[in-house]
Amino acid sequence: RAAPARRVGLRLTWRAMFLVVLVLFIIVPIAELAVIIQVGQEIGLWWTIALLLADSVLGSVLMRSQGRAAWRRFNQTVEAGRPPAREALDGALIIVGGALLLTPGFITDIGGLLLLLPPSRAVARRLLVRRFARRMVGPTVQRRDYDVDAQAVDVDQERIDR
């Protein structure tokens, strides 16, 4: 009888997912509110609102220009016959960066801006590739201790059709 499957990896995955959800939906909004309140106390309510609106508009303009550039590089890479892996990842990072910039708040704006600027996006891309490259590579072929000696034989096409 086979041994039961270990669930350690599954438990770690659920824990990691819980932490991501906790950070994204609870901790980040609370931190954003705290920063907005602090900025509002320093520069005033209307200037804070104006600053939030301005960085959303600037973010959408920056996202549009960077998105077009990434799309152009994607098409050039495909036309050259190379796989557009880097360009596709750049496009995904630009979308995430744009979404972060459109989200109200200064912390997410900093993260979005970092993903939209090419030098910092390159660093983020390198970190992501390094992090997930091991998971993307399939299992290697196992070496066998024996070799097969065989002889190739031509077969008549008539015998194959039967």
Side-chain angles (χ1 to χ4, degrees):
R1 192 176 151 168
R6 291 178 11 157
R7 296 187 154 233
V8 173
L10 183 63
R11 248 185 260 134
L12 288 176
T13 302
W14 283 108
R15 285 183 185 156
M17 188 63 78
F18 175 75
L19 287 175
V20 168
V21 169
L22 180 73
V23 167
L24 284 179
F25 293 111
I26 296 174
I27 295 174
V28 169
I30 290 171
E32 288 285 13
L33 283 172
V35 171
I36 290 171
I37 290 170
Q38 290 295 318
V39 171
Q41 288 175 347
E42 290 295 320
I43 65 173
L45 172 68
W46 296 112
W47 284 111
T48 302
I49 292 172
L51 190 58
L52 287 170
L53 289 173
D55 70 17
S56 291
V57 170
L58 177 69
S60 66
V61 169
L62 188 58
M63 182 178 73
R64 184 177 298 141
S65 72
Q66 290 298 309
R68 284 182 181 156
W71 183 249
R72 195 171 29 259
R73 286 191 308 273
F74 181 88
N75 285 326
Q76 289 170 347
T77 303
V78 169
E79 287 173 4
R82 296 187 316 265
R86 176 179 175 225
E87 291 75 12
L89 186 53
D90 267 355
L93 290 173
I94 288 168
I95 290 171
V96 170
L100 288 173
L101 270 170
L102 292 175
T103 303
F106 296 111
I107 297 172
T108 53
D109 288 343
I110 292 169
L113 187 64
L114 288 174
L115 290 177
L116 286 180
L117 296 175
S120 53
R121 186 173 60 238
V123 171
R125 184 181 57 243
R126 239 178 278 121
L127 291 173
L128 281 174
V129 167
R130 200 174 291 151
R131 170 82 169 101
F132 292 108
R134 288 178 290 235
R135 294 181 184 192
M136 297 301 204
V137 176
T140 59
V141 177
Q142 293 181 353
R143 186 178 163 273
R144 302 189 183 204
D145 292 335
Y146 59 89
D147 189 16
V148 177
D149 267 335
Q151 185 176 11
V153 178
D154 286 335
V155 178
D156 292 332
Q157 186 65 31
E158 292 176 11
R159 291 183 67 193
I160 294 175
D161 293 337
R162 286 189 230 169

